[in-house]
Amino acid sequence: MDEALLRGLTPSVLTVLVRRGADFAAAEDAVQDALVEALRVWPADPPRDPKGWLVTVAWRRFLDATRADTARRRREDRVEEEPAPGPAPAVDDTLQLYFLCAHPSLTPASAVALTLRAVGGLTTRQIARAYLVPEATMAQRISRAKRTVSGVRFDRPGDVATVLRVLYLVFNEGYSGDVDLAAEAIRLTRQLAAAVDHPEAAGLLALMLLHHARRAARTASDGSLVPLAEQDRGRWDTAAIAEGIGILQAALARDRLGEFQAQAAIAALHADAPTAEETDWPQIVEWYDELARLTDSPVVRLNRAVAVGEADGPRAGLAALAALDPSLPRYTAVAAYLHERDGDLATAARLYAEAAHKAPDLAERDHLTRQAARLNALRRR
C-alpha cells in the first residue's frame, strides 16, 4: 500500500469535489471516507486509476451524506410542524375525499369506478357488476383512471352529480352485495344533502331511506330472498319511510326532476301500499316512463316491463319485454315471472332454471332455483 501516493492525491481529489460544487468541509469529509475505503480495498485489489477511483468514491460519499442530511432536515422540519400531542379533532373527511376523487380530469364513469375502488373499498368484480360490464373491461377502466390522475394534485373537487353517482352505487353494493356499505352511504348522502343546494341529493337520500326501510324484510331467517310482494310489511321501518317520503315531496316541489327523485317516487309508491295487491301499478308505470326518458337505461325499461305486466296484464308485460335485449342481466328471470303470471308454467320453470345459472350471487341463484322447483312440483300434481 503506497500511503505516499494517497497523500499526494488527496489535494487534487479534494479540488475536484469543490469544483463540482461541494462545500469544503463536506468535500474534506468525503475524501477522508474515500481514503479509509482505499486502505481497506487497495491492498487486495489495487485500481488501475487511483485518482479516478478516489474521486468516484469520494463523490458518492458526498452525495450520500448530502441526501442523508437533507432527509434529516426534512424529518426535523416535520417534527417542528407536528401538532402538539392530544386528541385528534373529530373531523370526518370521507365526503371530501369522494369529491376529490371525482377529479375534473376524469370522465364521470372513470371517476365513479376509481372512487368505488379507492374509497369505497369495492373489488373490481363488484364494480363491474354494478356497471353491467365484464370484469376485464372495468379493470382496464380503473387502470386508465389511475394513469390519468398520476402526478395530478387532487386540489380541484369534482362535481356533485359524479359524487351522487358514486354514493348511489356504493349504496346498491352495500344493500344487495357482500360488502355492507349501505348505512355509510346514507350517512354521507345525508351530509351532502345538508351541504349543497341540489334536489337530486335530496332525491338520492329519499331513495336510500325508502329502500333501506325494507331491508329487514328482504331475507328470511335462513338467509333466502323474500320477493317484495311476499315481504312482511310489518317489518318495514315506518320512520325511515316517513322521512324518505317527506324529503322526496320537498324535492319534487322544486320542479327540478332527476332520475333519483323518479326512482324514489317509485319506491314511495311501493312503501305506501298497505298490501302488495293495493300497489298503484299504473302510477308506477308512469314514473318508469319518466325515468326512461331521463336515463334511456335498458335496466329501467326491464323494470318497466314488470310494472306493465302488473298494471295491464302479463301479456302486455311480455310485449314490453320483447323489445329489449335478452342479454340484459335478469332478463330471463323477468321473462320467467311474466310467463308464470300468464299461466305457462312449463316455460316459466325452464326460464327460472336458466336464470338461476346466470344469477350474480348465491342468494339470488338459490331463490330462482326454488322458483323452478316449485313450478315443476305444481306441474306434476
Side-chain angles (χ1 to χ4, degrees):
M1 183 66 190
D2 189 348
E3 295 185 13
L5 174 64
L6 287 177
R7 285 194 297 272
L9 290 175
T10 296
S12 59
V13 173
L14 181 59
T15 300
V16 170
L17 265 65
V18 171
R19 191 181 300 122
R20 288 183 178 180
D23 67 88
F24 184 84
E28 187 177 25
D29 289 341
V31 171
Q32 292 302 318
D33 287 341
L35 293 173
V36 171
E37 186 67 3
L39 290 172
R40 185 182 71 83
V41 173
W42 284 12
D45 186 19
R48 289 195 297 269
D49 179 7
K51 180 180 178 181
W53 189 98
L54 286 172
V55 169
T56 298
V57 173
W59 184 248
R60 288 174 179 168
R61 294 301 172 90
F62 166 75
L63 292 178
D64 290 343
T66 301
R67 294 189 187 105
D69 188 55
T70 300
R72 177 186 56 77
R73 286 198 301 270
R74 287 174 179 168
R75 288 194 298 270
E76 291 173 350
D77 290 342
R78 284 198 296 269
V79 169
E80 291 177 359
E81 294 170 0
E82 283 183 0
V91 177
D92 184 355
D93 294 324
T94 307
L95 187 59
Q96 181 63 19
L97 190 57
Y98 272 85
F99 270 100
L100 293 180
C101 283
H103 197 272
S105 63
L106 296 171
T107 64
S110 294
V112 170
L114 180 63
T115 309
L116 288 171
R117 187 75 178 89
V119 185
L122 304 187
T123 66
T124 303
R125 176 175 298 177
Q126 290 166 333
I127 301 169
R129 192 167 71 232
Y131 267 95
L132 308 178
V133 299
E135 184 177 353
T137 301
M138 183 52 64
Q140 292 174 355
R141 184 178 300 178
I142 293 173
S143 295
R144 285 196 299 270
K146 288 180 178 179
R147 287 195 298 270
T148 299
V149 299
S150 177
V152 173
R153 286 180 57 85
F154 277 58
D155 53 1
R156 291 186 297 150
D159 65 342
V160 174
T162 301
V163 176
L164 288 172
R165 177 64 53 186
V166 172
L167 290 169
Y168 173 66
L169 291 174
V170 170
F171 176 82
N172 282 347
E173 192 60 48
Y175 187 69
S176 60
D178 49 20
V179 179
D180 188 359
L181 297 171
E184 174 71 358
I186 291 174
R187 183 182 70 83
L188 293 172
T189 305
R190 196 183 292 279
Q191 287 185 9
L192 182 63
V196 301
D197 181 26
H198 197 297
E200 277 289 80
L204 179 58
L205 178 58
L207 175 63
M208 289 180 176
L209 289 169
L210 290 164
H211 276 299
H212 205 60
R214 304 199 304 259
R215 187 170 189 177
R218 290 184 71 245
T219 54
S221 57
D222 61 358
S224 60
L225 292 180
V226 180
L228 176 61
E230 300 172 19
Q231 289 177 13
D232 178 1
R233 300 187 177 218
R235 299 184 64 194
W236 290 1
D237 185 341
T238 55
I241 291 173
E243 182 185 7
I245 290 176
I247 292 170
L248 173 63
Q249 289 174 338
L252 291 175
R254 301 179 65 179
D255 198 23
R256 291 167 59 190
L257 184 64
E259 64 172 296
F260 294 130
Q261 295 171 69
Q263 287 190 56
I266 294 169
L269 287 168
H270 284 296
D272 201 40
T275 65
E277 293 73 24
E278 296 174 84
T279 303
D280 190 347
W281 286 108
Q283 192 172 354
I284 288 177
V285 172
E286 291 179 7
W287 276 112
Y288 269 122
D289 289 338
E290 287 286 349
L291 190 55
R293 180 182 60 80
L294 290 166
T295 66
D296 195 29
S297 164
V299 175
V300 169
R301 297 187 186 280
L302 182 69
N303 292 330
R304 178 186 177 276
V306 177
V308 169
E310 298 290 351
D312 302 326
R315 296 286 176 90
L318 286 168
L321 187 66
L324 303 177
D325 184 352
S327 67
L328 277 173
R330 297 186 172 88
Y331 178 100
T332 308
V334 170
Y337 174 75
L338 291 172
H339 277 290
E340 180 186 356
R341 289 282 316 282
D342 196 38
D344 187 352
L345 301 189
T347 300
R350 176 179 58 79
L351 291 173
Y352 275 130
E354 183 181 332
H357 288 293
K358 301 176 181 178
D361 56 63
L362 182 60
E364 187 171 339
R365 183 160 61 248
D366 288 347
H367 171 71
L368 292 168
T369 301
R370 281 194 295 270
Q371 296 293 85
R374 175 180 58 82
L375 293 187
N376 284 326
L378 285 174
R379 291 172 56 220
R380 288 193 293 267
R381 288 180 184 174

